[in-house]
């Protein structure tokens, strides 16, 4: 098995100190604001980022231990495979979030839409560019859950 060594490019400063504070489940709104402090030696890599309204952040569930291939989640009490969920208990504890870029000041990115803990290590930033038309996008079991009457 090949092992990949990665190091954070920066860390998140968010209002969340505990996972219980982060909105979860169907219809959860992620409007929290905070910053991503990119390591000063990597700041040149942020050139031209200001032209994008939204970014993908690839980050680490740094407090997650172990993994669960099938489990339930706060949204739906039916079991689902880990790769069909956003569970933090993954074989590789990697998170992916789309955030809105509010502004940049040197190596500090001001963001809206955070769903990660304060101090979360970020592995990479990529500009958000989706070429999938909304009428072709499918959301799997989440669509069924959202269409069902009443709470799950």
């Amino acid at each position: 098995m090949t092992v990949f060594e990665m190091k954070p490019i920066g860390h998140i400063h968010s209002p969340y100190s505990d996972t219980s504070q982060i909105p979860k489940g169907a219809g959860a709104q992620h409007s929290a604001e905070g910053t991503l402090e990119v390591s000063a030696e990597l700041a040149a890599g942020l050139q031209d980022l200001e032209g994008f309204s939204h970014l993908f952040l690839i980050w680490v569930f740094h407090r997650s231990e172990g993994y669960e291939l099938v489990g339930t989640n706060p949204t739906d009490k039916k079991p689902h495979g880990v790769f069909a969920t956003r569970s933090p208990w993954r074989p590789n504890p990697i998170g992916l979030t789309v955030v809105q870029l509010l502004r940049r000041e040197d190596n500090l990115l001001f963001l809206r839409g955070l769903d990660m803990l304060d101090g979360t290590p970020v592995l990479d930033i990529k500009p958000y560019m989706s070429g999938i038309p909304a009428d072709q996008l499918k959301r799997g079991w989440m669509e069924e859950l959202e269409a069902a009457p009443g709470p799950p």
Side-chain angles (χ1 to χ4, degrees):
M1 175 185 285
T2 303
V3 176
F4 299 95
E5 185 177 323
M6 295 188 196
K7 62 181 182 175
I9 63 163
H11 291 84
I12 291 291
H13 301 286
S14 86
Y16 304 126
S17 59
D18 187 83
T19 58
S20 66
Q21 300 169 319
I22 301 171
K24 297 173 189 69
Q29 296 293 312
H30 297 284
S31 56
E33 292 187 15
T35 58
L36 167 54
E37 184 174 358
V38 175
S39 298
E41 66 270 12
L42 302 175
L46 299 173
Q47 181 178 326
D48 300 323
L49 195 64
E50 299 92 332
F52 294 93
S53 65
H54 291 78
L55 308 171
F56 282 114
L57 299 184
I58 301 169
W59 49 279
V60 178
F61 285 104
H62 64 296
R63 293 193 196 166
S64 179
E65 294 181 9
Y67 64 91
E68 185 176 74
L69 293 177
V70 177
T72 58
N73 63 60
T75 304
D76 184 13
K77 298 306 177 200
K78 287 176 37 184
H80 299 283
V82 69
F83 302 123
T85 72
R86 295 181 57 86
S87 170
W89 299 288
R90 315 182 74 75
N92 290 305
I94 297 172
L96 175 68
T97 298
V98 175
V99 296
Q100 181 181 7
L101 176 61
L102 302 174
R103 71 182 188 279
R104 173 186 163 207
E105 293 178 11
D106 298 316
N107 64 323
L108 203 58
L109 303 179
F110 291 80
L111 308 169
R112 179 180 295 133
L114 297 176
D115 65 351
M116 65 273 293
L117 297 172
D118 189 58
T120 294
V122 175
L123 299 175
D124 205 357
I125 305 165
K126 295 185 182 293
Y128 177 83
M129 295 182 279
S130 177
I132 303 170
D135 64 341
Q136 294 179 17
L137 187 64
K138 293 184 181 180
R139 298 184 55 223
W141 61 268
M142 285 294 296
E143 288 179 0
E144 294 172 23
L145 185 67
E146 293 168 347

